[in-house]
Amino acid sequence: MATEIEGSAVVVAETKQPHRLERKWSFWCDIQSKPKPGAAWGSSLRKIYTFDTVEEFWCLHDQTFQPSKLSPNADIHLFKEGIEPKWEDPVCTGGGKWSITINRKESLDLMWQETLMALIGEQFDEADEICGVVASVRKNQDKLALWTRTAANEAVQMSIGKKWKEIIDVTDKINYSFHDDSKSQRSVKGRYSI
Ligand code: MGP
């Protein structure tokens, strides 16, 4: 902050410092989450941008990263920097996800935004347990999933699930599935629900 004296008036000029986040986050996008025949899952998954200030977040969010701006079958992700949004990532591999299906695009955008703000604002007590969030834009029902790292720790997952429901203002039951189950079965039953 710089202070100048002009005559008798004191002029305070703010030096604008960006508001730094607790950690770095990356946006990812997969514009074709259902691969074309012969292509491997994830072949169109790309890291788009890594940021660590509030200002960058809002600029990116407003300009680009809203699920309703994407075409069906696209996935958009916000993950901690250094973690890839894949079951195979060493941090995600023993984890799982809380998921919710959403019928209205406006609700998807709003819940996505509330979740992003909670993540970058470190609102979860178990912040170290969180990997990131994925919005899946689909023709019929969109989905939002919060990925966490230690699926076997039921108490931690229940606490995260409860908090997430408050954040996105959901009262219906949500389910938690293990990535290990998703790897081996197409139709996965939730292991926990809240
Ligand atoms: P999904 O997108 O997690 O399931 O996985 P969903 O949301 O029930 O289905 P969708 O049809 O609406 O997308 C769908 C399929 O994508 C899985 O059965 C896998 O074949 C593949 N897949 C998804 N993920 C997140 C991964 C991953 O992390 N690694 C690998 N190898 N395949 C994945």
Side-chain angles (χ1 to χ4, degrees):
M1 186 184 292
T3 309
E4 298 164 20
I5 300 190
E6 272 182 12
S8 58
V10 176
V11 180
V12 178
E14 292 274 349
T15 317
K16 292 229 166 89
Q17 293 288 347
H19 297 82
R20 213 152 283 287
L21 301 171
E22 187 77 22
R23 66 181 97 223
K24 290 187 176 175
W25 294 87
S26 300
F27 278 111
W28 294 69
C29 192
D30 190 347
I31 51 164
Q32 188 49 258
S33 68
K34 286 184 201 308
K36 300 248 159 61
W41 179 88
S43 51
S44 53
L45 175 66
R46 299 276 181 280
K47 185 173 0 176
I48 310 289
Y49 198 91
T50 299
F51 64 94
D52 67 351
T53 66
V54 174
E55 288 75 8
E56 282 172 293
F57 166 73
W58 282 115
C59 181
L60 294 163
H61 178 267
D62 289 352
Q63 297 301 322
T64 322
F65 295 109
Q66 289 179 44
S68 61
K69 294 189 174 166
L70 300 174
S71 51
N73 291 328
D75 285 354
I76 184 168
H77 319 68
L78 181 82
F79 269 60
K80 287 177 181 165
E81 195 213 21
I83 304 180
E84 298 197 354
K86 300 173 175 172
W87 307 329
E88 292 82 357
D89 182 277
V91 178
C92 301
T93 194
K97 62 180 184 185
W98 283 108
S99 322
I100 173 168
T101 49
I102 301 162
N103 294 317
R104 295 172 57 239
K105 294 278 176 221
E106 308 80 60
S107 306
L108 175 67
D109 275 355
L110 190 61
M111 289 182 193
W112 167 250
Q113 182 175 313
E114 295 294 341
T115 307
L116 299 190
M117 290 194 300
L119 293 181
I120 67 167
E122 307 288 336
Q123 283 178 32
F124 288 91
D125 291 339
E126 306 82 359
D128 288 345
E129 264 293 314
I130 308 264
C131 300
V133 60
V134 187
S136 302
V137 182
R138 298 290 181 267
K139 205 164 161 228
N140 298 323
Q141 274 190 322
D142 300 317
K143 287 176 279 193
L144 207 54
L146 186 66
W147 284 36
T148 63
R149 63 190 293 172
T150 322
N153 191 334
E154 181 171 359
V156 165
Q157 303 319 329
M158 295 300 276
S159 166
I160 292 173
K162 184 166 177 272
K163 177 79 179 178
W164 191 37
K165 282 180 67 171
E166 285 166 21
I167 289 164
I168 57 179
D169 197 17
V170 161
T171 49
D172 292 347
K173 270 213 156 82
I174 61 170
N175 292 314
Y176 185 90
S177 56
F178 284 31
H179 294 323
D180 266 346
D181 294 342
S182 309
K183 286 174 203 164
S184 55
Q185 311 153 31
R186 184 64 189 94
S187 167
V188 179
K189 276 180 81 181
R191 296 274 202 117
Y192 314 136
S193 62
I194 191 163

